[in-house]
Amino acid sequence: LRIPLVRGRFFEARDDYEAPGVALINQALADQTWPDEDPIGKRITWNDPRSEEEEVAWWTIVGIVGNTNVDGLDAEPEPETYLSYSQLPFPYATFVLRGRGDPLALQGQLREVVLSADPELPVFDVRSLDGIVSQSLGSQRFNMTLLGAFASTAVLMAAVGLYGVLSFSVAKRAREIGIRRALGARRGTVIREVVWGGFRLVLPGLGIGVLAALVLTRFIASQVYGVSPTDPWSYILGAILLATVALIACYVPALRAARVDATVALRSE
């Protein structure tokens, strides 16, 4: 599984059933139990050392490995201990296979190998590692997809509302714009004025939105993996996206305003 060795050694062939018990621990357990010491060479047990009713089995720590997210990618690594199957056999086992192409295509060959060793051994719960990862993030992905759909709808409604307000404003100012065009106002000047007039309404909204997001993102922090709730790039890209949508919503009425025919505007009044 490419879990890195931090210090010490991995299990070796000599760690068999007759050899003294050895164990590996992860970095989380090392930091929790021996924060200021080297755990290599320390002994651990799952029995009560003071008990006289059962033999106490001790396992010597020979290596420290990196942390893994067993309970999900969004969960904090838990303290873990690894024991050699050669020293402590279990009645069941989980095999991890690496192959080329579709990993689930190995199911048939895997079953054949197991049945050839023992026809009574069941093979069950065959899954790909990508599938396990996707399953662990399934609820978060669903919630964020739903939230993204609502957010997209909100952006679209804001753009439509801004476009409607500016279109109405341009229609009301048709005579003024017509006079200015008749007096020689350039087309670019009219476009810039209308765009700035609309975008001036957007800037306070962006500022308020960023401040509100900083406060409210802590409520969805558990739904986000790999991104900090205060990730600066998320805020920057989000603000750029909203500003772009706002500029487009402002530009269309501005373009219409620049096309106002001075003669038609004055005659209509």
Side-chain angles (χ1 to χ4, degrees), residues 173-221:
R173 296 175 56 194
R175 183 170 182 272
E176 172 202 336
I177 294 174
I179 294 175
R180 293 182 59 187
R181 292 283 287 153
L183 295 175
R186 295 180 180 273
R187 185 171 175 232
T189 303
V190 175
I191 292 177
R192 282 195 300 271
E193 182 180 339
V194 176
V195 169
W196 172 243
F199 199 69
R200 197 169 46 189
L201 304 175
V202 176
L203 289 177
L206 284 175
I208 295 172
V210 169
L211 293 176
L214 285 170
V215 175
L216 298 176
T217 44
R218 58 191 178 94
F219 294 107
I220 62 169

Side-chain angles (χ1 to χ4, degrees), residues 5 13 21 47 65 71 81 108 114-115 132 134 140 142 153 174 180 183 217 256-257:
L5 179 67
N47 305 117
V65 298
D71 296 328
T81 304
V114 173
L115 293 177
I132 295 174
S134 298
Q140 289 92 332
F142 175 77
T153 303
R180 293 182 59 187
L183 295 175
T217 44
R256 183 178 300 173

Side-chain angles (χ1 to χ4, degrees), residues 221-267:
S222 61
Q223 305 298 321
V224 180
Y225 166 71
V227 180
S228 167
T230 56
D231 177 52
W233 283 109
S234 299
Y235 286 89
I236 292 172
L237 294 177
I240 291 175
L241 173 63
L242 292 175
T244 302
V245 171
L247 282 174
I248 294 174
C250 295
Y251 182 75
V252 175
L255 198 61
R256 183 178 300 173
R259 292 175 179 170
V260 170
D261 189 306
T263 306
V264 174
L266 294 174
R267 186 180 300 124

Side-chain angles (χ1 to χ4, degrees), residues 21 51 69 138 142 159 164 172 235:
S51 174
N69 298 79
F142 175 77
K172 295 291 288 182
Y235 286 89

Side-chain angles (χ1 to χ4, degrees), residues 52-227:
E52 298 179 357
E53 299 178 358
E54 56 182 343
E55 183 180 355
V56 178
W58 290 93
W59 306 82
T60 302
I61 299 173
V62 296
I64 303 173
V65 298
N67 295 326
T68 59
N69 298 79
V70 175
D71 296 328
L73 294 177
D74 58 337
E76 290 295 326
E78 295 288 340
E80 295 176 345
T81 304
Y82 297 87
L83 302 179
S84 172
Y85 188 82
S86 299
Q87 293 188 332
L88 189 67
F90 284 88
Y92 60 89
T94 298
F95 289 92
V96 182
L97 306 181
R98 187 187 305 278
R100 296 178 180 176
D102 182 9
L104 295 180
L106 297 172
Q107 288 189 69
Q109 301 177 46
L110 171 62
R111 294 180 189 278
E112 291 178 5
V113 171
V114 173
L115 293 177
S116 66
D118 187 341
E120 296 185 0
L121 283 179
V123 179
F124 59 94
D125 197 18
V126 180
R127 295 183 291 168
S128 69
L129 192 56
D130 287 340
I132 295 174
V133 173
S134 298
Q135 183 179 1
S136 73
L137 297 174
S139 61
Q140 289 92 332
R141 285 176 174 167
F142 175 77
N143 292 337
M144 295 311 294
T145 299
L146 209 59
L147 187 60
F150 286 132
S152 300
T153 303
V155 171
L156 179 62
M157 292 177 64
V160 171
L162 190 59
Y163 171 80
V165 170
L166 288 177
S167 295
F168 179 76
S169 174
V170 169
K172 295 291 288 182
R173 296 175 56 194
R175 183 170 182 272
E176 172 202 336
I177 294 174
I179 294 175
R180 293 182 59 187
R181 292 283 287 153
L183 295 175
R186 295 180 180 273
R187 185 171 175 232
T189 303
V190 175
I191 292 177
R192 282 195 300 271
E193 182 180 339
V194 176
V195 169
W196 172 243
F199 199 69
R200 197 169 46 189
L201 304 175
V202 176
L203 289 177
L206 284 175
I208 295 172
V210 169
L211 293 176
L214 285 170
V215 175
L216 298 176
T217 44
R218 58 191 178 94
F219 294 107
I220 62 169
S222 61
Q223 305 298 321
V224 180
Y225 166 71
V227 180

